[in-house]
Amino acid sequence: MPSPSEHEALIAAVAQHRDRDAFARLFDWYAPRLTAYLLRQGAEQALAEEIVQDAMVTLWRKAEMFDPAKSSLTTWLYRIARNRRIDLMRRDRSTPVEPDSPLFEVVDDTDLEGELDASQREAAVREAMRSLPEEQLVLVRLAFFDALSHSEIAERTGLPLGTVKSRIRLAFTRLRRTLESGGVVEAR
Amino acid sequence: MTPTGQTHEQPLDTLLAGYARGMLSAPLHTLVATHLAIRPESRRFVSLLETASASEIERLEPAPLADRDARLAAIFAAGEEPIRACAPREAGDVYMGDDVVPYPLARFLGASLAATPWRTLLPGVKEYRVTDNEDGEATLYWIRGGRKIPSHTHEGSEYTLVLKGAFSDIHGHYRRGDIAIADMDVDHQPMADAGQDCFCFAVTDAPLKLTGPIGRIVQKIFRH
């Protein structure tokens, strides 16, 4: 993987003088990986391509909105693609949705104290997850990383739905508390 | 469910995780985005989960990309048009929100509370059904101070975000930015605080069923 600072230099070139070569390099790295991610999440090929294309249009047109102090470019694009997918899957399409509406203005990071970078944040979450009891960890992995619904998890594990729900809730509450007590997340 | 140990389960944290992962329906995703706009303290937890989720992208084997050059050309061509060319309406006509309705909800509703076509459900309770389909129902409520929403239960869960004012139910007291989460089987009857009107945005993940004598009548009149 190219270093985050390399990507930051490329996006700065796009933001400042619409550098097409810099954009093409970002496109070549992110578009195939975002597509792979969406396909893994169960999106159909055509939908995955549409979402990625819209996210890339946003990257091209709104590059100056990206702030490396607040998130990594991967996380920024992840949010744009995630929100775009939800828009495109809306059954009720009465509200006009434009690919360059300021989606990310509402999902942008608040500044994190201590200036954790993406890898430190990821490590903090993984460490917090390791502190969960095994019975909760297994279910959180299925719910969060495999994105299964509670009933799919109940089916797969043979546990009653109520137990699945309760354990997952306990797990996410504990996860949040652990992250808060570690000073990573502001205490409520 | 009985909490075990010292940790009381907070359904909100699970909802935030579902948001971070992109697993919620459009109305529920909007409800959480609106909560986050009002309550920055929840954003840090979400942001950490988003980073963990996004990091997966970097580890995946890239998918083959058809028409790479044509796609790049389309992006550059789109970039030449003025931004407004994409929006069908004049920028001034698009409702961007206000002090009560943050941007994510404004984008979903498309109109301010003042411009909402309210329908009286009961004296002192108005509603506006925003959507009602397989995604679940999304409803705006306007409850006069001291009034109650008819008692009801749900097939799925109901998530109620307070936009203005405050209300109470058997679980607690909720003010602006709070999300009340009622599971199926919970028969609850939110009551607005006396003295000020309460505006809420409620989303169910399955159709709700009104219970109690008034509820049944209302159900008959309005739902069928």
Side-chain angles (χ1 to χ4, degrees):
Chain A
M1 181 194 166
S3 72
S5 60
E6 239 174 280
H7 280 181
E8 282 169 26
L10 291 172
I11 194 170
V14 173
Q16 285 155 24
H17 34 266
R18 299 281 164 237
D19 183 327
R20 293 189 176 199
D21 292 333
F23 180 82
R25 288 181 61 197
L26 290 172
F27 180 92
D28 287 338
W29 204 83
Y30 284 103
R33 285 171 176 81
L34 273 174
T35 307
Y37 175 81
L38 290 163
L39 292 173
R40 217 194 128 216
Q41 292 288 96
E44 306 216 338
Q45 182 78 32
L47 178 68
E49 283 177 10
E50 188 181 352
I51 294 165
V52 171
Q53 186 73 0
D54 288 347
M56 290 296 123
V57 168
T58 304
L59 175 63
W60 174 243
R61 300 181 71 158
K62 303 264 177 141
E64 61 279 5
M65 304 283 296
F66 170 71
D67 182 351
K70 290 183 173 176
S71 70
S72 72
L73 185 52
T74 306
T75 305
W76 193 70
L77 287 170
Y78 165 82
R79 291 195 187 103
I80 292 169
R82 175 197 64 190
N83 290 1
R84 188 69 187 143
R85 182 182 185 198
I86 287 166
D87 273 338
L88 290 175
M89 288 176 64
R90 261 180 88 165
R91 307 250 184 5
D92 166 22
R93 304 287 286 273
S94 58
T95 312
V97 171
E98 308 85 33
D100 58 358
S101 70
L103 294 173
F104 36 82
E105 283 176 16
V106 300
V107 292
D108 206 356
D109 274 357
T110 45
D111 290 308
L112 283 173
E113 281 164 301
E115 296 283 318
L116 293 178
D117 66 24
S119 64
Q120 288 169 316
R121 287 189 209 177
E122 191 199 334
V125 173
R126 290 191 183 278
E127 196 182 316
M129 282 184 116
R130 273 198 296 274
S131 74
L132 294 174
E134 183 63 24
E135 59 166 36
Q136 291 176 14
L137 180 60
V138 170
L139 300 186
V140 161
R141 284 209 176 113
L142 292 172
F144 193 73
F145 287 104
D146 295 331
L148 295 183
S149 72
H150 290 178
S151 39
E152 286 168 330
I153 294 169
E155 214 168 280
R156 187 175 291 198
T157 58
L159 291 167
L161 185 59
T163 307
V164 168
K165 219 171 181 176
S166 176
R167 279 189 194 166
I168 287 175
R169 283 183 173 182
L170 279 169
F172 280 117
T173 298
R174 196 181 288 227
L175 201 57
R176 182 168 178 173
R177 296 232 172 125
T178 306
L179 289 166
E180 282 170 354
S181 67
V184 177
V185 178
E186 189 181 80
R188 277 188 286 184
Chain B
M1 287 299 143
T2 316
T4 56
Q6 294 195 315
T7 313
H8 294 261
E9 57 180 63
Q10 297 292 335
L12 176 65
D13 297 333
T14 306
L15 185 66
L16 294 176
Y19 170 88
R21 194 71 174 125
M23 287 159 63
L24 309 180
S25 68
L28 203 47
H29 192 81
T30 302
L31 182 141
V32 176
T34 308
H35 162 78
L36 294 173
I38 302 173
R39 293 293 174 80
E41 69 267 25
S42 286
R43 291 167 75 172
R44 291 162 186 268
F45 178 58
V46 169
S47 155
L48 284 162
L49 294 181
E50 286 170 338
T51 306
S53 203
S55 66
E56 231 179 280
I57 292 168
E58 293 166 359
R59 283 190 290 270
L60 285 175
E61 192 63 33
L65 214 59
D67 309 321
R68 180 246 186 207
D69 292 346
R71 290 180 61 172
L72 269 175
I75 292 168
F76 295 141
E80 298 301 322
E81 298 162 20
I83 295 275
R84 196 178 293 177
C86 263
R89 296 176 295 184
E90 290 296 310
D93 292 343
V94 180
Y95 175 55
M96 298 292 287
D98 49 45
D99 289 349
V100 177
V101 179
Y103 176 72
L105 184 58
R107 182 170 174 272
F108 188 79
L109 297 176
S112 70
L113 294 181
T116 295
W118 296 101
R119 183 178 66 168
T120 301
L121 188 62
L122 286 172
V125 181
K126 291 181 198 294
E127 69 160 17
Y128 170 61
R129 189 65 55 89
V130 189
T131 58
D132 183 357
N133 53 34
E134 316 90 285
D135 278 351
E137 296 175 351
T139 310
L140 281 171
Y141 287 106
W142 174 1
I143 316 162
R144 296 267 179 219
R147 294 290 184 157
K148 289 176 183 171
I149 287 183
S151 181
H152 59 277
T153 58
H154 327 92
E155 278 175 27
S157 300
E158 183 185 50
Y159 305 84
T160 308
L161 171 73
V162 182
L163 298 170
K164 191 180 181 184
F167 76 80
S168 300
D169 69 8
I170 50 164
H171 296 296
H173 184 247
Y174 306 89
R175 57 195 177 81
R176 176 168 163 80
D178 287 338
I179 301 174
I181 301 176
D183 273 342
M184 94 180 83
D185 315 332
V186 176
D187 191 345
H188 76 144
Q189 201 172 8
M191 182 165 91
D193 284 14
Q196 68 172 323
D197 290 4
C198 180
F199 289 87
C200 300
F201 178 57
V203 175
T204 59
D205 46 20
L208 62 81
K209 288 185 293 194
L210 294 176
T211 56
I214 296 174
R216 273 193 289 272
I217 294 165
V218 171
Q219 174 108 318
K220 260 189 194 145
I221 297 171
F222 290 107
R223 312 276 186 242
H224 298 288

